[in-house]
Every structure is written in C-alpha cells, then in structure tokens.
Amino acid sequence: AQSVTQPDIHITVSEGASLELRCNYSYGATPYLFWYVQSPGQGLQLLLKYFSGDTLVQGIKGFEAEFKRSQSSFNLRKPSVHWSDAAEYFCAVGRNRDDKIIFGKGTRLHILP
Amino acid sequence: EAGVAQSPRYKIIEKRQSVAFWCNPISGHATLYWYQQILGQGPKLLIQFQNNGVVDDSQLPKDRFSAERLKGVDSTLKIQPAKLEDSAVYLCASSLDRELAGGETQYFGPGTRLLVL
C-alpha cells in the first residue's frame, strides 16, 4: 500500500526567506502526488499536483514542487515566504486516477516577522 | 462558482448521542468524499461516492458511522452512538469525475468540528 511521510511537524522561517517542505512517499510505480494547504478554520486547498511529465511542477501562490523518483520525494518550495503563508501543509499520494489519496500528517509552517 | 458547503460548522455532543453532518458538493461534481481529520493528523478517507453509489468505504466504522448520498447530490454522514475518539473535524470534498483529466482534483469544504464529551 502507498504511504506518505512528512518528516517535519513544525517549520519556522522568517518572512522573505526561502522555504522547503519535505515529503517522501512509498509506492512502487509513479504515484499521483499532491500538496494541499490548510489555513486555520479553512478547508484544504490544492496548491499543485503531479501525475506525469515535467518533474518540476508550478502551483498557485508562488509554490513549486519537484518530483524525484530516485529519492521518492516530492518537496514543496517557495523562494520567498509571506506572513500569509503560515498554515498547515499536507502532502498526499494516490496510486492512480481512480484511487483514494493518502494524506501525510502535515507540516505546520510558522512565519517570523 | 460556489464551493463545497458543510453544516453545521461546530457541534458539541455527549458520548452515546447521535449526530449528523450535511454536505452540498460543487454543482456537477460526480464524486463526493467524507474525511475524518483528528487533531495533529492528516485527513483520513471514510467514504467515497460516485454519484449515489459507494466506491470505497473500507475505512468507515460501519458499526456506528453511516453515510448516504441520495439523488447523487447532497450527502449526510451520521454517527450513532458517538464515542470520545470521534472528536475530529469532518471534511467533505467533491471532484468533477476521476475519469477526466483534471477531474480528480478534490475541492474541500470548511469542515465540521465535532467535540464529543
């Protein structure tokens, strides 16, 4: 069965600094990969997704993620964070288009002024 | 376009009581999902509907949880009787159609926060 690990429970960065959130997945073939963001009291919003093709995926709000098959990773990056990026970020994996997706436990991002 | 609607937003009940949550998906979305998100964890799928049929309910505790999606639009999730460990946020999501390119993207509602005392 597929699984996803987000090694960092909390991450703190200064406003304007770069960000990288880690995500590792376990699945034999090429998975469907997603990053979602959850702001306090809000539902989850899709930032980006990867199914195939270019391994560098651009998303909304200036986020990008890179699929690295050799490392079984799909890390989320942003060159310069804003205070409004403070939220919880979830990586998720699915086996194919029809399969349910499995969420990681999330990484809570804190922004220092 | 209106998003996924859920009600109520908050609910406090005592253990052994019953509770029901309602979800109205985005218009035209064939697939509807219910997730349970316990504090400090990611969402866990409870049940997935395709139109009004169940696609996956393998993680639904069927002895106390039930869900229906009559007419393939709105859905209701019920817990009867509730336990302390059911305290969580219950998220509803919908997607257009997983068979279509891009149709697998799930759109989430704001959730219902349940506290069982």
Side-chain angles (χ1 to χ4, degrees), chain B residues 87-108:
Chain B
S87 294
V89 176
Y90 291 84
L91 296 166
C92 180
S94 69
S95 63
L96 185 59
D97 187 329
R98 295 182 75 86
E99 294 298 320
L100 302 177
E104 67 293 311
T105 296
Q106 297 183 31
Y107 297 85
F108 285 80

Side-chain angles (χ1 to χ4, degrees), chain B residues 64-79:
Chain B
R64 298 183 300 106
F65 286 65
S66 64
E68 59 183 12
R69 191 185 183 196
L70 300 176
K71 302 180 182 179
V73 182
D74 294 7
S75 178
T76 302
L77 176 69
K78 296 179 181 178
I79 308 175

Side-chain angles (χ1 to χ4, degrees), chain A residues 8-112:
Chain A
D8 304 304
I9 299 174
H10 294 274
I11 290 278
T12 301
V13 298
S14 298
E15 190 169 17
S18 63
L19 170 70
E20 183 168 28
L21 301 182
R22 296 184 290 166
C23 173
N24 294 99
Y25 67 89
S26 173
Y27 180 56
T30 300
Y32 283 54
L33 294 161
F34 307 81
W35 274 100
Y36 280 85
V37 61
Q38 187 175 34
S39 298
Q42 304 294 317
L44 283 83
Q45 181 183 22
L46 180 69
L47 288 175
L48 46 79
K49 61 187 177 184
Y50 172 80
F51 294 161
S52 63
D54 192 346
T55 57
L56 185 61
V57 181
Q58 301 298 320
I60 62 171
K61 303 185 180 186
F63 286 92
E64 66 178 25
E66 186 171 12
F67 170 61
K68 293 185 177 180
R69 183 189 303 276
S70 61
Q71 299 176 20
S72 297
S73 69
F74 189 57
N75 294 348
L76 182 71
R77 302 193 294 247
K78 186 170 184 178
S80 176
V81 297
H82 186 261
W83 64 266
S84 60
D85 293 324
E88 188 142 25
Y89 292 79
F90 292 93
C91 182
V93 61
R95 292 179 298 185
N96 52 55
R97 190 183 298 279
D98 297 326
D99 195 27
K100 65 187 175 195
I101 60 174
I102 306 297
F103 284 84
K105 292 188 175 183
T107 297
R108 183 165 294 280
L109 175 64
H110 305 272
I111 307 294
L112 295 175

Side-chain angles (χ1 to χ4, degrees), chain B residues 21-91:
Chain B
F21 313 128
W22 173 82
C23 173
N24 185 286
I26 293 173
S27 178
H29 280 197
T31 310
L32 185 146
Y33 313 78
W34 281 104
Y35 289 86
Q36 180 191 57
Q37 185 178 17
I38 293 174
L39 187 65
Q41 298 184 20
K44 181 185 79 172
L45 180 68
L46 293 175
I47 189 167
Q48 176 185 340
F49 292 94
Q50 180 76 14
N51 296 308
N52 60 350
V54 176
V55 174
D56 185 341
D57 63 356
S58 57
Q59 300 189 99
L60 186 73
K62 299 180 185 64
D63 58 333
R64 298 183 300 106
F65 286 65
S66 64
E68 59 183 12
R69 191 185 183 196
L70 300 176
K71 302 180 182 179
V73 182
D74 294 7
S75 178
T76 302
L77 176 69
K78 296 179 181 178
I79 308 175
Q80 181 178 10
K83 293 185 175 181
L84 298 178
E85 59 261 36
D86 298 332
S87 294
V89 176
Y90 291 84
L91 296 166

